[in-house]
Amino acid sequence: MLTLAMRKAAFYQPGDVRIPYNGAVRFRTSIMPASLQTLILLTCSNVFMTFAWYAHLKDMNNKPWMIAAFASWGIALFEYLLQVPANRIGYTVMSLPQLKIMQEVIALAVFMPFAVLYMKVELKWDFLWAALCMVGAVYFMFRSHP
């Protein structure tokens, strides 16, 4: 005879969350698709990453590099607290190369406004061409997705 946990396991889908409860395993299906959760978490992670990697060039240019490194590590902690769960969730519905290209596209989408608005870099047509190349990369990574 199948136990309740075993019966529920037969209906487990990627994106469901296993919740231990009184010795049994229960499942909670997320309202939001795993790919959307991944997109949101990776976008937030990339905001922290971009500031950790580049904001010190503007804000701490006159400080010793070790101070900038420690400040960046502090910011990067929040990046990893979002990035690790994002990749774990995303890996349930995407391949590793698909996750990587998704992260790169998000990184470019976050970096462009950061560069123009925060770092005051002049907007150039090359940004558009780079973005179009990334769209092509996304196409090739996701075209054979089952």
Side-chain angles (χ1 to χ4, degrees):
M1 179 173 214
L2 292 174
T3 66
L4 177 62
M6 292 173 70
R7 281 185 274 146
K8 286 192 174 189
F11 299 103
Y12 176 72
Q13 297 293 318
D16 289 355
V17 178
R18 298 174 194 210
I19 302 171
Y21 180 76
N22 292 339
V25 177
R26 297 189 181 205
F27 296 92
R28 175 180 54 89
T29 303
S30 177
I31 297 170
M32 191 181 310
S35 56
L36 183 58
Q37 291 177 37
T38 302
L39 176 71
I40 292 168
L41 287 169
L42 282 178
T43 300
C44 294
S45 169
N46 270 276
V47 170
F48 284 108
M49 179 196 75
T50 301
F51 275 91
W53 284 18
Y54 302 109
H56 65 86
L57 297 174
K58 177 181 178 184
D59 299 330
M60 301 181 136
N61 202 20
N62 58 351
K63 305 273 188 204
W65 73 267
M66 285 295 288
I67 292 173
F70 283 116
S72 293
W73 286 346
I75 296 169
L77 170 65
F78 296 102
E79 172 204 349
Y80 283 105
L81 290 174
L82 296 169
Q83 176 265 331
V84 170
N87 283 335
R88 286 176 173 241
I89 293 167
Y91 195 60
T92 64
V93 293
M94 288 180 256
S95 69
L96 186 62
Q98 289 171 333
L99 266 175
K100 181 60 181 169
I101 200 65
M102 181 181 203
Q103 188 277 328
E104 293 298 336
V105 169
I106 292 168
L108 184 63
V110 168
F111 181 77
M112 289 304 122
F114 170 84
V116 172
L117 300 173
Y118 187 78
M119 297 295 286
K120 306 298 183 200
V121 172
E122 180 186 346
L123 186 62
K124 296 182 180 182
W125 281 104
D126 290 344
F127 294 173
L128 174 64
W129 307 136
L132 289 175
C133 288
M134 294 298 284
V135 169
V138 169
Y139 168 75
F140 286 111
M141 280 298 170
F142 284 89
R143 73 179 171 158
S144 62
H145 186 59

